[in-house]
Amino acid sequence: MASSPPQQQPPPPFAAQNLTAQGPVQVPPGSGAGALPGAFANLQISRGAAPPPGAPRGLTPQQAPPAFAARPGPPPAAARPAFPGSPPAPPFVRAPTAATSASPPFGGQPGLVSQPLPPFGGPPGAASQPPPSFGVPPGVVSQAPPPFGGPPAAVSQAPPPFGGPPATASQAPSPFVGHTVAASQAAPFGGPLVAGSHPPPFGGPPVAGSQPAVPPRPTFPGHSGPMAAAAAWTQPTPPSFGAPQQPPPPFGSRPVGQPPFATQSAPVAQQLPFMGPPRANAPAFGPPSWQAQGAGSGAMQPPMRMPGIPGSMQPNTLGPPGTPTIPYSPHAGTQVSTPSKIDPNQIPRPMPESSVIIYETRQGGQATIPPAASSEFIVKDTGNCSPRLMRCTVNQIPCTGDLLTTSGMPLALMVQPFSLPHPSEEPIQLVDFGEMGPIRCSRCKAYINPFMKFVDQGRHFICNLCGFRNDTPRDYMCNLGPDGRRRDADDRPELSRGTVEFVATKEFLVRDPMPAVYFFLIDVSMNAIQTGATAAACSAIAQAISDLPEGPRTMVGIATFDSAIHFYSLKRAQQQPLMLIVPDVQDVYTPLQTDLILPVSECRENLEQLLESIPNMFENNRVADSAFGAAMKAGFLAMKSTGGKLLVFQSVLPSLGVGSLSAREAEGRANITTGDKEAHKLLQPVDNTLKTMALEFAEYQVCVDVFLTTQSYVDIASISVVPQTTGGRVYYYYPFSALSDPAKLFNDLRWNISRPQGFEAVMRVRCSQGLQVQDYFGNFCKRVPTDIDLPAIDSDKTVMVTFKHDDKLPENVECGFQCALLYTTVYGQRRIRVINLSLSCTNLLANLFRCADLETQFACFLKQAANGIPTSPLPRIRDEATNTCINILQSYRKHCASVTSSGQLILPEALKLLPLYTLALVKSVGLRTDGRLDDHSYWISLVSSISVVLAVPLVFPRLIPIHDLISRDDDDSLVPSPLMLNSENVQEDGIYLLENGEDGLIYLGNMVNPATLEQIFGVSSLAALPVQLALDQFDNELSRKVNEVVNEIRRQRCSYLRLRLCRRGEPSGDFFRSFLIEDKAPGVFSYVEFLVHVHRQIQSKMT
Amino acid sequence: MSEFLDLETQDGIRMTWNVIPGTKQDATNCVVPVSAIYTPLKPNPSIPVLPYAPLRCRMCRSILNPFSVVDFVAKIWVCPFCFQRNHFPQHYNSISENNLPAELFPQYTTVEYKSTSETGPVAPPVFLFVVDTCMIEEEIGYLKSALAQAIELLPDQSLVGFITFGTYVQVHELGFGLLPKSYVFKGTKEVTKEQILDQMSFFAGKTKPTTGVIAGARNGLSAESIARFLLPASECEFVLNSVIEELQKDPWPVPADKRPSRCTGVALSVAASLLGVCVPGSGARIMAFVGGPSTEGLGSIVSKSLSEPIRSHKDLNKGSAPLYNKAVKFYEDISKQLVNQGHVLDLFACALDQVGVAEMKVAVERTGGIVVLAESFGHSVFKDSLRRFFQSSDNDLDLSFNGIFEINCSKDVKIQGIIGPCTSLEKKSPLSSDTVVGQGNTNAWKMCGLDRKTSLCLVFDIAKKDGPDSVGVGQSASNQFYFQFLTYYQHHEGQMRLRATTLSRRWVAGSGGVQELIDGFDQEAAAAVMARLVSFKMEAEVSNNSPDETAYFTMMLNTENVSNAVVMIQPSLISYSFQSGPEPVLLDVTAIAADRILLLDSYFTVVIFHGITIAQWRKAGYQYQEGHESFAQLLQAPQEEADAIIKERFPVPRLVVCDQYGSQARFLLAKLNPSVSYDNPPAPGGDVIFTDDVSFQVFMDHLQRLAVH
């Protein structure tokens, strides 16, 4: 009955464009996880030598994980001694190992471990080691210069933190000097560091012990075991990042250099980013910036002074050294010391983790808490679905609505039904019940799942969602074993796996499953032609054709448009295509009933030739108008009988015909400057025309993706309605560059058609009684309250489902969620993908906080904010986002950490980064007051279907130095650890890549070494740099590395990134700096200020 | 009789009364109205073509003619119409009795002026093909080969456009070299000129003028934008050939119980608007090839459902043809547009079914278009007619464009109107009668299309009352009436010309003139005129024909000259036998004999009928045997005569060669007087017609009885 469906191994999303794609692809030998399938490679990489076109796909299984699979799988054991599951090196033991051996990442710890150092690097360590601030044990340092090298450098030899090798070496010492200064200055603000002189701030072993529920997670690499455990599993691991009275500790405790990113053991990895000891991060990023600024004191100043802030009095409340212990009460969360004492180096920051975690979705009959979405993990589906497919904002469900309200947290699921699996994961099983169809609850129609309870010798089963007692169909009968489970449970995927797929029977079919239809619609108006957008689109399509699903059921069609719509009939063997123009753009129609859409096998050559000639054909086109809406409508009519994907390449503001738009931006700017409160209305669709159209498209299973290759305002607010309603998305290339954008356009298109996806889908989420679905958010069409229609659904799309209580949930029963997605595969099979999640219920607020899923919650906040932008003024949206953060923290403060001094900002461990992310959100493109309307609208459209894993980076980008990539071969992850997002990390002699999954900003300082420039860009001076960037690969180590890094990021993000050069003193440089969200910007808080603000708000609420 | 023919040869005119009844009362008593059938472009090599502009009377604008009285000394001429004295201009200074300009030669009552200064530059003719594709493959095949042939015959300098239609209308952009490209318009929706301008990118890259007339290269359109759709035939031969080569049956599916959806009306509307946009005022013709009834959009004549039959005369009489009036109204509007633009609609209707000629008639006739009705595009009537249409030879049609026809005549004669292929320009003048027949209320008419055969029927009104001044008053003591017919037109070679025919006729008044009147009576002309008048007044009263056929016959009648009209009314029958040379015989069943060959010319059909003995000889092949040359000649003679008829006639008549007792013999028998019927056994070797129709004798007897009573 159960069979393993052909695993949908997605092809590489990104191939080099143009001919180069055909060329050999360079695959690093023995690349293993790090291998970059050729398709992923950058344009230039692919010029190397190797597999013939298409080879990457075929080869991947044996050779390297396929593009997506390529998430670095478990690396060779040698490289990662402490692979999860292989517990030989338990965390506590590891210290010595590290000390003696060369396991760099954790090597740093020995010092800490051997000395009962608290995570903050207790005084002893600091004292004993000359560069105490960085507290890195010598051993570690010497062996593995951490990427950010602060500490190691301090120690001595060590590769320099940021600078080029030579420079750094000489400079290395200075950071410490600086730091020392800082430290000494810090002193005035407070007593000895909290952490330093005290029992392990993280609660130490006892705390860990106090959490019996903690699954046997063996490792905690970076820190001494107890602490690690505490940090990870006791929610109240309150690392104070109080004033660094004792400079050493903060740095001493850190797991040194790259460890944060290099830790090997899986469980830990997931913890680390949110791990207790903030200073683990702090040193990593801190020192360099100090160094950069010379007098560190300057940098220190702002946060420390906060005149007038009530908190500034706080030092007193903290009292003398020693008081810091208070925070570490078992209930306490992460604590942030009072504003005046905030040390920018100790405030919570994410700690990337690169080791792979093995995650079993259930253990011991209970749901386990999934690893952070951003970490790398391998899921073993033991009853609950993979968190990639569906994850909840909280991993225990509050029994009552009141409890949920009190917590301030949202209750929502993020469902990403086609999310890419890790290559090592078992594929989703396909279950065929034959004519009987899948077993369902006869009352609520829920599908059979592991949580349906069979009783009465198996003759009945009780629905886990509605509680109804069903008769077991005769054919499905099976006896129960002594454990009360069906004896065949383990053999039946639908009874043992959280996710299965059922073969749909006739009752799920209203017609034959539709073929895979792709209709391309290309703007050929004057502007599109002249900017090269048309040529880019044609070339992208021509290359992407070969990535269409194979088989006779794959159909294609094409039309171009300006002020009229030009169809092409390709069914003319050996003949030129016929061009048929529909000139009436108010009342459109298709010129033919057949022959406009053909099996790709019948018209490939004709299509390719046509695509080649289109740019020439319209070379002298003087028609400036573009009938976008009408063209979509016409394309839709052509595919109405089947449904399918309509891929529209639009380059100018649609100015003609049905659904035409007008330039609202000028109006908008005027309004914004006059402070018009209605400015947000420009972010709403101008009218209902396109919406009505989109609803009709959706009804006939037509999904629209819009590629906007434009150099002007196109009113995305209005345009995006169509993709959003039909399960598509907007791609935005602004300002379009014929030099640098075609590669991205091609890769985006290629990924669009080759990623895992389904058609004519209907999705419904069911849940246990007591809860009900409140709403769905995402790109779909909703006609009835319970279901959403998705003309297409793909691996990138996430649907948020919010819930509300309509009753109390019993505490001793689990709350079930089931998402059922009925869809048609690209090969024309009708399937039902059923995704189950069953979570325990709780009456304890503390549990809620402990099980909170920060990234999921944040994705939820992000979507809610984006959703509100078109209907509320931006300041209100920002306030709401901030208030959400404050409310949650205040709830925690009030109900779970009330013992602690009111003078401290206490953060629940799981939500430690909430303020940082909230600040990032408030400063994000979408919520900024400045910026172009289209940028806002695009951002909103992007967010509406964004996945959890991409939500955080969108507003909280990665900042990576790339000028010194060669010098940090210590790191076994391709992408070096990111720097904290503040300008102190940006040196004028450096080159940095800042990426958010969409854009890749390459920032060049003004004093970049010409040699480095030459290596990366092939030019010898800043002046010689091109305005538009196409990142070529040159024959040198650095260039190779840079390309590797970029390609790795592309792979991780499933996005090609728009690379842009940013220069100091130019608008591009300012743009870059606007992403440094820790910085203070005009009218907006710096990170430290924001913490202070949050703290004050909480305090004022408490009183 | 022969004098009438001589007059016709010289001036292209035949009049019912060559001596005019002098008073209104006399004219009324004559029953047959004073009228003329005039063939403006009748070829006559002796007509001089004058390379200068005509001299006009400064009062009535009539043109200097042989009837003008000239004072050579004073260099003055007197207009015979208004008696205005006009000075000759400077360049006529050398005029003298012995040195006359051609227009004053007495024999040159008809002259032609060809003057570029007056008429502007040469404009190439435009042919816009509008081709139906809702046909079975076989018909499409025929049409394709016919079109391909026609294309080769197009004059090189002429401009060509191509439109196909079925469910939708496709305007082919022949000027686009890279791909076959066409604009597709919905068949259900009318397309205005404005929309054509907007939707077909005539203003790409330019701003459209907000005011003023936009049309043609002279009025705001770039030549390039026009050249996308209308190209010199010599430049687009390849494209045109491939478009024709690739013509396919309309791809939209047709349910078994439905007619194909065919939007003839909208296609013609698109064509008219396209021409209006591109070449207004310049000679152009829409050549429509229609293979079935219009069922879609404006101008449709029947619903798509096959259960509903196409309207018959009975339906029209009963008013139960719901679409008829709407369609006629639609085509009236099209005709107005075309006339306004100076463009012609030609109709080639080839189908077993009706296609809507009756509805389209108004547009064809008012624009002076040509109509050809045949059963199939494979039929020689169509194929040969189309070839003739373009053929340049002695027999070609001299297709001309953009004609304006004006009449001047002496006081006391007024014009009621014209029955024929033209449109009144509504220029009311003292010459126009209050009684209107056909296109009236004017003294000027538009003839968008005209050719060497186009013949107008002018109906006059004698306005002079009885009374003291009835005879010989004032200037008109000469008893002469004068007529001047002026035809401005775009010659088929492109340049504009003016043909002026000036006539003089005598009038008589009172009872004394009866014999003179009778002497001047042209019986054939009267028959032709009466036929036009009758068909004009009683159009719907027809039996045995479909409305389409009736419309077709009427249109042909209304455009033919007298002798052809007479053939239509009374077919000619010639007998060939060994006994005598070819001789006309009575159109009677008794003309049939076993050893005779009969040649029937009924205008639309030419029948060669072999008597049974002749047929047997022929089948035995005697004509090929030595010693039987005379038989071969006998067989050959009617064939040659038929060829001669066919050659000069347009549309090409249907030729039927048949044998006595053969099934095709019905084409002859249907035209014969059934003097011998089944109740009246035939002579041996003769034939019998199985009909209940009465014979001519019976009819005449009946008529006499009525007259006596």
Side-chain angles (χ1 to χ4, degrees), chain A residues 572 576 579 581 584 589-590 622, chain B residues 168 178 180 182 184 189 205:
Chain A
R572 293 152 54 87
Q576 283 180 305
M579 181 175 180
I581 298 174
D584 188 344
Y589 41 88
T590 53
R622 291 289 168 272
Chain B
Y168 289 172
L178 302 167
S182 56
V184 184
K189 205 170 154 186

Side-chain angles (χ1 to χ4, degrees), chain A residues 801-823:
Chain A
V801 190
T802 56
F803 297 87
K804 64 181 178 198
H805 287 79
D806 55 10
D807 203 350
K808 251 182 106 154
L809 292 162
E811 195 171 9
N812 54 345
V813 177
E814 289 199 337
C815 174
F817 299 93
Q818 182 178 73
C819 167
L821 179 80
L822 173 64
Y823 75 102

Side-chain angles (χ1 to χ4, degrees), chain A residues 511 514-515 517 555 597 638-644 700-701 760:
Chain A
R511 57 169 184 177
M514 59 181 265
V517 176
M555 326 263 281
I597 297 177
M639 56 201 307
K640 192 173 172 183
S641 61
T642 52
Y700 290 91
Q701 310 296 350
E760 50 180 351

Side-chain angles (χ1 to χ4, degrees), chain A residues 17 75 167 205 226 402 486 580 611 715 800 819 865 901 947 1048 1081:
Chain A
Q17 63 155 174
D402 287 348
R486 279 171 59 124
L580 298 164
L611 285 164
D715 195 355
M800 175 168 81
C819 167
S901 152
S947 66
E1048 172 62 12

Side-chain angles (χ1 to χ4, degrees), chain B residues 240-312:
Chain B
L240 209 48
N241 272 323
S242 61
V243 168
I244 290 169
E245 179 56 38
E246 290 177 15
L247 271 187
Q248 282 182 343
K249 187 170 180 286
D250 187 58
W252 294 81
V254 182
D257 59 341
K258 301 279 187 200
R259 295 187 172 90
S261 117
R262 179 188 281 110
C263 61
T264 317
V266 174
L268 293 176
S269 157
V270 168
S273 296
L274 182 64
L275 290 181
V277 164
C278 295
V279 286
S282 179
R285 50 204 321 146
I286 296 169
M287 300 178 65
F289 299 82
V290 183
S294 175
T295 57
E296 179 98 340
L298 293 163
S300 57
I301 65 160
V302 67
S303 82
K304 290 198 190 84
S305 169
L306 278 171
S307 60
E308 183 188 315
I310 299 182
R311 80 278 176 281
S312 65

Side-chain angles (χ1 to χ4, degrees), chain A residues 278-520:
Chain A
R279 59 206 59 166
N281 289 329
F285 304 109
S289 60
W290 287 41
Q291 166 192 9
Q293 304 229 341
S297 56
M300 288 293 289
Q301 289 303 346
M304 295 178 169
R305 305 200 295 219
M306 292 229 169
I309 296 178
S312 63
M313 295 309 291
Q314 292 307 319
N316 298 330
T317 48
L318 273 177
T323 36
T325 45
I326 296 169
Y328 309 122
S329 84
H331 301 293
T334 303
Q335 295 185 353
V336 176
S337 72
T338 57
S340 67
K341 278 183 279 186
I342 287 178
D343 176 353
N345 294 320
Q346 297 183 42
I347 49 188
R349 291 183 174 115
M351 271 241 312
E353 176 55 55
S354 62
S355 63
V356 182
I357 303 155
I358 300 264
Y359 169 66
E360 290 191 7
T361 58
R362 291 180 73 86
Q363 280 180 345
Q366 281 196 319
T368 51
I369 296 184
S374 55
S375 60
E376 187 178 8
F377 53 91
I378 297 167
V379 179
K380 295 209 153 147
D381 181 342
T382 51
N384 267 345
C385 64
S386 159
R388 295 183 212 284
L389 298 168
M390 186 157 86
R391 61 193 297 154
C392 190
T393 47
V394 284
N395 288 296
Q396 288 192 10
I397 306 301
C399 288
T400 64
D402 287 348
L403 187 65
L404 179 66
T405 311
T406 305
S407 76
M409 291 190 284
L411 179 56
L413 286 178
M414 294 291 169
V415 189
Q416 193 179 0
F418 283 100
S419 67
L420 302 173
H422 191 283
S424 306
E425 287 170 9
E426 182 184 79
I428 295 172
Q429 305 266 297
L430 180 65
V431 180
D432 188 352
F433 276 98
E435 284 184 12
M436 175 169 64
I439 312 288
R440 303 174 74 174
C441 168
S442 50
R443 182 159 76 187
C444 73
K445 296 291 175 193
Y447 293 84
I448 186 78
N449 65 65
F451 309 102
M452 295 233 177
K453 186 166 175 54
F454 282 82
V455 294
D456 202 10
Q457 296 306 308
R459 281 194 293 270
H460 297 98
F461 65 93
I462 296 168
C463 175
N464 64 320
L465 299 182
C466 72
F468 185 71
R469 184 184 173 94
N470 291 273
D471 294 340
T472 309
R474 180 184 301 262
D475 293 349
Y476 197 62
M477 201 79 85
C478 177
N479 274 332
L480 306 186
D483 55 354
R485 297 175 70 222
R486 279 171 59 124
R487 290 184 182 277
D488 63 353
D490 288 338
D491 302 327
R492 288 187 176 272
E494 76 275 16
L495 296 180
S496 56
R497 297 282 180 266
T499 309
V500 289
E501 232 171 58
F502 297 110
V503 174
T505 47
K506 284 211 176 63
E507 65 176 307
F508 295 96
L509 298 172
V510 287
R511 57 169 184 177
D512 282 345
M514 59 181 265
V517 176
Y518 300 85
F519 198 94
F520 301 99

